[in-house]
Amino acid sequence: MRPPGVYRAQEDTALLRGVLRMLGRRGRLLDSSVLDVCSGSGALGIEACRAGAASLTAIDLSRRSVLASWLNSRLNGAPATVLRGDLFAPVTPHRFDLVLANPPYMPAPGRVPPRHRMARCWDAGPDGRFLLDRICAGAPSVLNHGGALLLVQSALAGEQATSDRLEAAGLVPEVLARAQVPFGPVLRARALALRARGLLDAHQEKEELVVIEAQHG
């Protein structure tokens, strides 16, 4: 169930879901506690529960996304505690074994992402790092020792910048998956401006997505 204004699960969601299934087959999610930030429709948290997680907490700033996460988790037999708020603030000082994040990461003209338009699902400031940097810095505060952050983003928002930020926060990053996907409508509309800024090659027609795991301790 996806009300209007809630992010539709796309290639980035599918890529991270594939990683969760892989980890589930290895038994890494068994009986784990999971936090899904920027939860959207709740698809990632539900996948984690299918892969063996024991509990799920989801957070989103959007009221519609909170409703979608709550309802979808119950329809799929993975009842979640769903909270509305800004990233990790609603759960501090609680800690989790796994944190999932598929935040907005698209470079955008405005410095601050919109609050009340559909574009808030993908716009993330001029460099696409409005939320990525905050997630990297804040993840250790909600991770158990030995826990991990799983984050998906576009290479346009700086894969190396994410790894550097995670290391600075005391985490150990590793790329678990990559995918090349055709430009979607938003990226096609911004391709000219992004090429002018050097973020896209002249003839580039695919976007690279990457899933980064960051271990704590």
Side-chain angles (χ1 to χ4, degrees), residues 7-210:
Y7 183 71
R8 177 175 61 85
Q10 300 184 52
E11 289 88 349
D12 48 7
T13 309
L15 187 63
L16 186 42
R17 288 175 74 178
V19 169
L20 288 169
R21 287 191 290 270
M22 175 192 70
L23 296 178
R25 289 192 295 270
R26 297 177 181 176
R28 283 191 48 189
L29 273 66
L30 189 63
D31 296 329
S32 61
S33 56
V34 175
L35 174 64
D36 181 14
V37 294
C38 305
S39 63
S41 66
L44 291 176
I46 292 167
E47 191 66 52
C49 289
R50 289 173 177 165
S55 67
L56 171 62
T57 301
I59 298 175
D60 205 291
L61 191 60
S62 160
R63 289 183 175 85
R64 294 184 182 188
S65 293
V66 167
L67 172 62
S69 291
W70 185 90
L71 182 56
N72 286 328
S73 69
R74 280 148 180 79
L75 291 175
N76 286 274
T81 298
V82 185
L83 305 171
R84 179 176 179 266
D86 182 28
L87 292 184
F88 307 123
V91 292
T92 303
H94 299 289
R95 292 178 179 263
F96 301 83
D97 300 316
L98 179 67
V99 174
L100 306 174
N102 181 9
Y105 49 69
M106 180 63 63
R111 294 188 60 82
V112 178
R115 287 291 301 274
H116 304 293
R117 294 188 290 111
M118 187 65 184
R120 69 181 175 181
C121 294
W122 50 76
D123 280 1
D127 58 3
R129 301 200 59 84
F130 186 80
L131 289 179
L132 284 170
D133 287 341
R134 293 179 60 207
I135 290 170
C136 293
S141 70
V142 291
L143 279 173
N144 286 322
H145 183 77
L149 166 71
L150 280 178
L151 180 150
V152 62
Q153 68 167 82
S154 169
L156 290 174
E159 175 189 331
Q160 188 59 51
T162 296
S163 292
D164 291 344
R165 294 277 182 158
L166 291 168
E167 288 179 351
L171 303 178
V172 181
E174 178 185 2
V175 174
L176 296 188
R178 296 181 185 275
Q180 297 280 339
V181 300
F183 288 174
V186 176
L187 190 46
R188 285 199 300 271
R190 296 181 183 175
L192 188 62
L194 293 174
R195 288 191 175 100
R197 294 178 54 196
L199 295 177
L200 285 177
D201 294 337
H203 303 291
Q204 185 176 342
E205 295 181 350
K206 290 188 176 182
E207 175 187 18
E208 184 175 40
L209 301 175
V210 58

